Amino acid sequence: AQSVSQHNHHVILSEAASLELGCNYSYGGTVNLFWYVQYPGQHLQLLLKYFSGDPLVKGIKGFEAEFIKSKFSFNLRKPSVQWSDTAEYFCAVLNNAGNMLTFGGGTRLMVKP
Amino acid sequence: DVKVTQSSRYLVKRTGEKVFLECVQDMDHENMFWYRQDPGLGLRLIYFSYDVKMKEKGDIPEGYSVSREKKERFSLILESASTNQTSMYLCGGSHDTGELFFGEGSRLTVL
């Protein structure tokens, strides 16, 4: 069974600080990886995804993630966070059938103004 | 050597008792957290505080309250302990760099 681990449960940063959220997955096959974001009071929405090709993936709002196959990692980064980035971030991996996402436990980010 | 210190490593209480768990840090952390850790469930956030007298509910605040009267001290209170609150309680602190430092934990058993 596939699983996803997010190492940082709760992160508090000041505005303009750099962000890196860790994500490791356990899955031996071809992986399709995602970062989702849930802003307060809103539904989950896609931040970025990796299917194949360039392992450095750019997403919305200045986020990026790097797929490192040898480390089974897909860490999320942003060089300079804003107050509006306060949200919960979920890493996820898609199963082979392409119909189910397995989510990590989530990282709650709070950015202080 | 910097530390996050939890006052009690092991406590045994009876149902209905009031329980105080104390946490003190000497790292000048702005942010402090209380989690409970249960097998198979990982870490679940109870409350956190990002400044003196400020508090925010985490994922499982029911049955708990907190107090942060001074920057270095963050207390978790169980007004009326119940058996389902038997758990390991972890206190943590962080600066705004995000890295979280934990205390050694307080294992609470409620009979």
Side-chain angles (χ1 to χ4, degrees), chain B:
Chain B
D1 192 21
V2 293
K3 279 188 176 178
V4 177
T5 305
Q6 294 182 227
S7 57
S8 304
R9 292 292 305 277
Y10 301 95
L11 300 94
V12 179
K13 297 291 182 181
R14 295 196 179 278
T15 300
E17 282 192 87
K18 191 170 186 176
V19 182
F20 290 90
L21 298 179
E22 300 284 335
C23 176
V24 178
Q25 50 94 0
D26 64 0
M27 302 175 73
D28 202 33
H29 286 146
E30 296 86 10
N31 313 308
M32 295 187 76
F33 306 81
W34 275 106
Y35 288 84
R36 62 178 282 177
Q37 185 174 25
D38 301 287
L41 297 176
L43 286 168
R44 292 182 292 168
L45 182 64
I46 305 171
Y47 269 98
F48 72 97
S49 167
Y50 55 89
D51 202 349
V52 175
K53 296 189 186 292
M54 305 303 289
K55 60 186 179 183
E56 292 283 341
K57 292 181 180 179
D59 298 319
I60 50 165
E62 296 79 17
Y64 303 94
S65 62
V66 291
S67 172
R68 192 165 182 203
E69 296 296 318
K70 293 184 179 181
K71 188 176 186 179
E72 66 271 17
R73 188 178 298 269
F74 192 38
S75 303
L76 180 69
I77 302 145
L78 290 68
E79 291 290 339
S80 178
S82 62
T83 55
N84 63 11
Q85 292 179 308
T86 292
S87 185
M88 171 70 86
Y89 290 89
L90 296 175
C91 175
S94 74
H95 295 295
D96 291 343
T97 53
E99 183 177 355
L100 193 58
F101 293 86
F102 281 102
E104 291 185 333
S106 299
R107 186 169 293 282
L108 171 66
T109 301
V110 183
L111 301 175

Side-chain angles (χ1 to χ4, degrees), chain A residues 11-80:
Chain A
V11 175
I12 300 178
L13 298 173
S14 295
E15 277 197 312
S18 64
L19 170 72
E20 181 161 10
L21 303 183
C23 173
N24 284 92
Y25 63 91
S26 63
Y27 185 61
T30 302
V31 287
N32 297 313
L33 296 156
F34 302 79
W35 276 98
Y36 283 82
V37 60
Q38 185 170 32
Y39 296 104
Q42 298 185 25
H43 63 279
L44 278 165
Q45 55 185 289
L46 185 66
L47 203 52
L48 50 80
K49 61 186 177 184
Y50 171 78
F51 279 13
S52 64
D54 189 341
L56 185 62
V57 181
K58 304 281 187 185
I60 60 171
K61 302 185 181 185
F63 285 90
E64 65 180 33
E66 185 174 11
F67 170 55
I68 303 179
K69 189 175 181 180
S70 61
K71 294 185 178 180
F72 298 88
S73 70
F74 189 57
N75 292 354
L76 181 70
R77 299 194 294 248
K78 185 171 183 178
S80 177

